[in-house]
Amino acid sequence: MKVNKELLKGSTVILVLSMLDREPMYGYQMIKEIEKESSGVFMFKEGTLYPILHSLEAGGMIESYWWGNEGSRQRKYYKITEKGNSCLKEKRQEWETFSSAVDKVLNKEAFVWGQLMTQE
Amino acid sequence: MKVNKELLKGSTVILVLSMLDREPMYGYQMIKEIEKESSGVFMFKEGTLYPILHSLEAGGMIESYWWGNEGSRQRKYYKITEKGNSCLKEKRQEWETFSSAVDKVLNKEAFVWGQLMTQE
DNA sequence: ATCTATGCATAGTATAACTAGGTATGATTT
DNA sequence: AAATCATACCTAGTTATACTATGCATAGAT
């Protein structure tokens, strides 16, 4: 199932940082990985990911280096920095706050029902 | 705690529909209610909410009517329509899919640890 | 009488992901 | 060997959506 792409806004950075927190990866690899991990929910476009990687690097959140076996294709790997790691921690908390708040509003009706049933 | 406003993108409509699914409300009231319900996480600006209400009405998702005690202030109430209700159902499913996918990516590390510990 | 909170509305701005295009390499197919 | 396709990186311009800033009006409080 695809989701409204607008839902993705604001959550791409945390997803990128979270993946690089596990292991260094290169851009194209991240696109394929996150699609697989999310069962096709997240299908990052190159025009989305690469600019994000560049801006994260400019902000000191991640670092890049070219790497590849001799004679084979070189890929640009990114790894998370200390700064990126603490940013990730903040963003995890932020996501928790946000998603809980949405759930609270979406489920208020059910919650009220629960109260009514308890009172019976 | 405030969250990145960009996180909100794509989720405002579902929040609005969800509130109107409980009872008819007027714009200003919704702003105050959702701020209270979400413990200050969602602080809709009027410039955000009113255009959304207008567009939802234009799309047949909600209907409006002026109402107020005689001699007292008139307020523009909105109520959800059948069409709005089925749209809400879809969007609930979409939110579930999206937030689960984010959680899956964010918590993959912990999940892997669990696997490793089981293998020991 | 003035001030503040309430209440509706909209034009213009900022932000972030996408579209659409470009370049290049390695592997597979014909 | 040539053609094709998946891989791999990049960016300028577009689009969608929430926000800023502002205007107008009413009701209650000081």
Side-chain angles (χ1 to χ4, degrees):
Chain A
M1 183 207 190
K2 300 301 180 314
V3 299
N4 179 345
K5 68 184 178 182
E6 292 301 326
L7 268 178
L8 196 57
K9 289 203 175 179
S11 47
T12 50
V13 167
I14 190 178
L15 290 172
V16 168
L17 286 179
S18 176
M19 295 194 75
L20 293 180
D21 189 43
R22 302 204 295 259
E23 56 174 347
M25 299 177 77
Y26 58 95
Y28 197 83
Q29 180 187 11
M30 300 181 69
I31 291 174
K32 301 301 173 190
E33 279 275 328
I34 202 163
E35 179 174 347
K36 206 172 63 182
E37 274 182 34
S38 67
S39 308
V41 174
F42 301 131
M43 299 176 71
F44 282 7
K45 304 303 179 300
E46 296 177 303
T48 299
L49 183 63
Y50 289 118
I52 287 177
L53 289 173
H54 300 161
S55 113
L56 282 175
E57 185 171 28
M61 305 295 180
I62 60 179
E63 286 170 358
S64 70
Y65 52 96
W66 287 92
W67 191 86
N69 288 335
E70 304 160 37
S72 121
R73 183 170 213 152
Q74 297 295 299
R75 286 147 176 158
K76 196 173 182 180
Y77 283 80
Y78 290 90
K79 65 171 187 176
I80 197 165
T81 63
E82 265 308 311
K83 189 176 174 188
N85 211 289
S86 56
C87 175
L88 175 58
K89 279 209 184 76
E90 274 176 45
K91 286 193 173 292
R92 277 178 182 276
Q93 181 58 53
E94 196 174 292
W95 165 255
E96 185 53 40
T97 301
F98 169 73
S99 64
S100 307
V102 172
D103 286 336
K104 211 189 294 182
V105 172
L106 291 195
N107 298 321
K108 201 191 172 201
E109 191 177 33
F111 178 67
V112 170
W113 283 352
Q115 281 188 315
L116 288 172
M117 288 170 69
T118 312
Q119 284 167 6
E120 280 175 353
Chain B
M1 184 207 189
K2 300 302 179 310
V3 297
N4 180 347
K5 69 184 178 182
E6 292 301 325
L7 268 178
L8 196 57
K9 290 203 177 180
S11 48
T12 51
V13 168
I14 190 178
L15 291 171
V16 167
L17 285 180
S18 176
M19 296 194 74
L20 293 180
D21 188 43
R22 303 204 293 258
E23 57 173 347
M25 298 177 77
Y26 57 95
Y28 196 82
Q29 180 187 11
M30 299 181 70
I31 292 175
K32 301 299 171 190
E33 280 275 330
I34 202 163
E35 178 174 348
K36 206 171 64 183
E37 274 182 36
S38 68
S39 308
V41 175
F42 301 131
M43 300 177 68
F44 280 7
K45 304 304 180 301
E46 295 176 300
T48 300
L49 183 63
Y50 288 118
I52 287 177
L53 289 174
H54 300 160
S55 114
L56 282 176
E57 185 171 28
M61 304 296 179
I62 59 179
E63 286 169 0
S64 69
Y65 52 96
W66 288 91
W67 191 85
N69 287 335
E70 305 160 35
S72 121
R73 181 170 217 154
Q74 297 296 300
R75 285 148 177 157
K76 196 173 183 180
Y77 283 81
Y78 291 90
K79 67 170 184 178
I80 197 167
T81 63
E82 265 309 310
K83 188 175 174 188
N85 211 289
S86 57
C87 175
L88 175 57
K89 277 207 187 77
E90 274 176 47
K91 285 190 173 294
R92 277 178 182 278
Q93 181 58 54
E94 195 174 292
W95 165 254
E96 184 55 39
T97 301
F98 169 73
S99 64
S100 306
V102 172
D103 286 337
K104 211 189 293 183
V105 173
L106 290 194
N107 298 320
K108 201 192 171 202
E109 190 176 34
F111 176 66
V112 170
W113 283 353
Q115 280 190 313
L116 288 173
M117 289 170 68
T118 311
Q119 285 168 3
E120 281 176 352

